[in-house]
Amino acid sequence: MIVIDTPQATRSQRLKAATRDSHGALDKRIMAGDIFASRDLFAKFVRVQFRFHRDIDALYGNPALDALLPDLDERRRLPLIARDLADLEQTLPLPASTGLDGDLPLPAALGWLYVAEGSNLGGTVLYKMAARLGLDSDFGARHLAAHPDGAARHWRAFTAALDGVALTRAQEQQVIDAADAAFRSVHGHVEEEFA
C-alpha cells in the first residue's frame, strides 16, 4: 500500500507519484516491443489499446461519473481505436471475459479513468512517432491525435475535475490501487499481444 501524504499535492499528483513504478514498467515494456519499427508492430500496440479501452468502455457511459468529469462520454476512444485497427487490416481482439462494470465504485472508476486519460497525454508523443509509419489522424493513429483543444488543456480539465471529487482517506487509497491495477492490466495485454 502506497500513500503519498503531502497536503499541498493534488490527487492527480499523488496518483502520478504512487503509480510511477507500474507506469514506468509499462512504458519500458511497450517501447521494448519496438512499436515504430513497422506497421505490424504498431498494430500490436493498437490491439493493446483496444483491449484496455474495451475493458473500461462501460465507465464512459456512467451518468454519475459523467456528472463529475468533464465531457466523459466524448473522451471515449474505443471507436477510434477500432477504426485504426481496420485501417491496419487487423481483426478486433476476441472479447475479454472480464470488462469493468459501468457501476464500478467511484474511487476505482476514477483510478482506471486516470490511466486512460493520462494515456491521451502521452499519446501525443506516440502520435508524432507514428507519422514515420505514414499514420495520422485520418489513418491508423486517430486515437493518438490530440484533442482539438490541445492535449494539455484537455488533461488539465480532467485532472481539475478528478482533484475536485470529495473522497475519504480510504477512498483515496482505492483510487491509487485501481490506477495501479489499470497499469498492470495494460501490461498484461502487452504481454499477450507481444508474446
Side-chain angles (χ1 to χ4, degrees):
M1 178 163 103
I2 301 170
V3 177
I4 307 298
D5 195 12
T6 310
Q8 60 273 37
T10 64
R11 176 176 296 126
S12 53
Q13 290 168 335
R14 290 189 303 272
L15 273 167
K16 182 177 181 180
T19 59
R20 183 169 282 123
D21 290 344
S22 56
H23 187 182
L26 174 61
D27 284 350
K28 285 179 186 170
R29 178 60 182 98
I30 288 172
M31 296 317 285
D34 205 11
I35 64 173
F36 298 108
S38 70
R39 282 190 178 183
D40 287 340
L41 288 171
F42 183 76
K44 289 181 182 222
F45 166 73
V46 180
R47 289 174 62 84
V48 168
Q49 291 280 75
F50 183 86
R51 287 171 181 264
F52 175 65
H53 282 273
R54 181 180 55 202
D55 290 349
I56 64 168
D57 193 58
L59 299 178
Y60 290 92
N62 179 312
L65 289 169
D66 190 51
L68 295 172
L69 303 170
D71 307 318
L72 185 62
D73 189 55
E74 294 173 21
R75 292 171 178 271
R76 178 182 265 141
R77 287 190 290 159
L78 187 62
L80 296 175
I81 299 167
R83 288 179 61 198
D84 288 340
L85 284 173
D87 292 343
L88 297 167
E89 299 178 354
Q90 296 288 308
T91 58
L92 298 181
L94 293 174
S97 56
T98 57
L100 296 180
D101 186 338
D103 293 326
L104 194 66
L106 177 65
L110 293 175
W112 283 82
L113 288 170
Y114 166 81
V115 173
E117 292 304 309
S119 73
N120 270 345
L121 191 60
T124 59
V125 174
L126 300 179
Y127 179 77
K128 291 174 186 171
M129 296 172 79
R132 290 185 262 170
L133 296 172
L135 306 174
D136 59 23
S137 61
D138 294 319
F139 185 89
R142 57 180 58 80
H143 81 281
L144 296 174
H147 187 272
D149 292 340
R153 182 178 295 164
H154 200 57
W155 171 246
R156 283 192 304 269
F158 174 79
T159 56
L162 174 69
D163 293 342
V165 176
L167 297 174
T168 66
R169 187 168 178 81
Q171 289 173 320
E172 292 284 353
Q173 186 60 48
Q174 291 169 10
V175 176
I176 291 169
D177 292 344
D180 191 58
F183 281 120
R184 286 185 281 111
S185 172
V186 177
H187 202 131
H189 294 320
V190 172
E191 293 305 329
E192 286 182 42
E193 289 295 337
F194 286 86

